Amino acid sequence: MRKITLLGAFLCFLLVCNIAAGYGQNKFTGIFVADSRPREVVYLGVTQTGDIVSGSLVIVTPDGYGNTKSNTLPLRGTTDGDAITLTAERLFQDLVINGRKQGKTVVLMFPTDSGNMSTVTFLPTTDRDYNLLLNRWQEELAAIYKEKESLTKLANTLADDINAVKSTGIKRNLADIKSALDDEQSALHDLENDLAELKHDASLRPMTCYQANSRVGYAYNSRMAYSYSSRLGYAHDKFMVRLEELEHRLSNVEPLVTKIRQETHALDQAIKESKYSLPKLNAKPGDEAQVLIQYQALAASARNELPLMKAAHSDILNKAKGIMREGEAILKKTQASVRCD
């Protein structure tokens, strides 16, 4: 009985030692995860055989478009008790990672680009739990991206319309119309001088056929016609084109103001209802306030000036037509006063 008891005890000792040895050899075997969202999630899968380990490191990061992208690094290395040294295979330079086992967790130290060591703690997990974690993160990233896209679109539309108001051509149109009026007034002044010369030529006595047909005729058909048709005509066309542009812009003021206010309200509501941190936006509610005040004041001023400018334009044209009629009458009277064979 004693021999059997001793033999049994010996076999039991061997069994316990083998179990303990096996446990020690495989303490790093398993699946682990380091959850560092929103920056990254790192999957670590390791198999240990004796003091040799192998596996892979999967680094998952956001792709910027509502999903994830991953980079898988094959691992190889060795263990010494609770310590582990891994080499991650990379294209240009392998990465050496040191670590240790702390209870159920694995702590790895990664060298950074600056030369410092970054410590990352991996918790034990399963493929199922890891996939659930990844799926939840991807759903969250998709929701964040969708919200970001919506907010960005609303903000960009508002920013574009605010910039359109800031760069309105109302001031430029006003300046061009006033410039056209100045050109018209200058042409009218020259036309008045042309009429004075025509009157002078028509007053010469005795009046000859040459004087009546050439001198007086040239004064009306050339000098006066050029001042009226070319110089005043060009200024008139410029006035009408710029006037049409200005009236078109003024007709769009209130619709654009209403549109911007609606866009501001929509963006404000979207911001209040947002569930995630706001992205950088090109415009925010409130950016439009002072811009719209200045825009509407400019439009009101332009509307007040328009009747005066139109009246000045009509007055110049009427005077010019009157001068041309007077010149034509003088020409006809002068040419009728002589008999030419």
Side-chain angles (χ1 to χ4, degrees), residues 24 50 67 119 138 157 177 244 257 270 287 304 334:
N67 210 326
T119 301
Q138 289 169 340
T157 301
I177 290 173
E244 183 179 356
V257 168
D287 292 352
N304 289 335
T334 301

Side-chain angles (χ1 to χ4, degrees), residues 315-333:
D315 184 58
I316 291 172
L317 289 187
N318 290 333
K319 286 181 179 179
K321 290 176 182 178
I323 290 172
M324 290 301 292
R325 286 194 296 268
E326 184 178 357
E328 183 181 22
I330 293 172
L331 173 64
K332 289 180 178 179
K333 182 179 179 180

Side-chain angles (χ1 to χ4, degrees), residues 89-114:
E89 298 177 10
R90 298 192 300 182
L91 181 60
F92 296 108
Q93 182 180 2
D94 289 348
L95 178 68
V96 177
I97 307 168
N98 292 310
R100 62 187 180 276
K101 189 75 181 294
Q102 290 184 342
K104 294 182 179 181
T105 66
V106 175
V107 179
L108 298 182
M109 290 171 286
F110 294 83
T112 64
D113 293 336
S114 63

Side-chain angles (χ1 to χ4, degrees), residues 161-162 165-166 287-296:
D161 284 339
I162 289 176
V165 167
K166 289 181 178 179
D287 292 352
E288 83 296 342
Q290 190 61 33
V291 174
L292 291 185
I293 291 174
Q294 295 173 350
Y295 181 49
Q296 290 177 301

